[in-house]
Amino acid sequence: MLIVLPQLVFIPMSFVTASIFNNLRVHHVIYCCCIAQLIGCWLRYLAFMDESLYSLLFVGTFIYVLALPAAWNGVSLIANLWFPDHQRATATGLMGVSMALGSVVGLVISGVISAGLDKTDQQSCFNTIKRITFVQNCVVTATCILLL
């Protein structure tokens, strides 16, 4: 369920983000997205601390995913507002590529951390997933700090 959540949320949230961009300044929307992503990713990490907190994995993922459509839909708006006419296509392309590049980097980080993992040892697998989540959260936090 968590793997398809971004696709399920994207279409309805696209209408909401269009309204949000019409009513708020762009940098306020970006700040709200950063804060939502920070809250969501660290809530997901808290789910690894105790079995009773497992539901935080879903809540954190949902909060994190709610911010993604605003980030994806804001690319062309940011390019139109902040770049001159002759640079808009390049800016839009670079921002679009950065999302795909971020996904690739996330997959590489996960692969490097989990290389050589003994799949029969459940505790080792759990600790590896916890470590991957921590590293991903550090990357998200560093990125958001740069944007804030």
Side-chain angles (χ1 to χ4, degrees):
M1 176 64 180
L2 292 179
I3 195 106
V4 296
L5 191 60
Q7 290 80 14
L8 293 175
V9 170
F10 187 80
I11 293 173
M13 281 303 294
S14 292
F15 295 107
V16 174
T17 57
S19 174
I20 289 171
F21 277 117
N22 283 334
N23 294 319
L24 296 174
R25 303 185 104 181
V26 173
H27 65 277
H28 290 145
V29 176
I30 300 300
Y31 292 157
C32 290
C33 287
C34 285
I35 291 167
Q37 288 184 336
L38 285 171
I39 291 169
C41 72
W42 288 106
L43 278 176
R44 289 176 57 205
Y45 186 71
L46 286 176
F48 291 101
M49 298 303 161
D50 189 59
E51 288 181 16
S52 65
L53 299 174
Y54 184 69
S55 62
L56 287 179
L57 181 67
F58 299 99
V59 172
T61 301
F62 187 74
I63 292 171
Y64 185 86
V65 166
L66 284 179
L68 294 178
W72 290 335
N73 292 333
V75 168
S76 59
L77 179 63
I78 291 169
N80 285 334
L81 291 175
W82 294 350
F83 293 93
D85 290 340
H86 66 282
Q87 293 178 343
R88 286 185 186 153
T90 304
T92 303
L94 288 174
M95 285 187 271
V97 166
S98 68
M99 290 180 212
L101 187 61
S103 296
V104 169
V105 169
L107 290 172
V108 168
I109 289 171
S110 299
V112 167
I113 291 175
S114 62
L117 184 65
D118 180 14
K119 294 171 185 63
T120 59
D121 184 6
Q122 287 184 345
Q123 188 60 40
S124 176
C125 290
F126 177 81
N127 289 336
T128 301
I129 293 171
K130 183 177 176 181
R131 190 175 18 189
I132 289 169
T133 303
F134 180 77
V135 171
Q136 290 171 340
N137 288 355
C138 290
V139 171
V140 169
T141 301
T143 305
C144 287
I145 287 172
L146 289 173
L147 292 174
L148 295 174

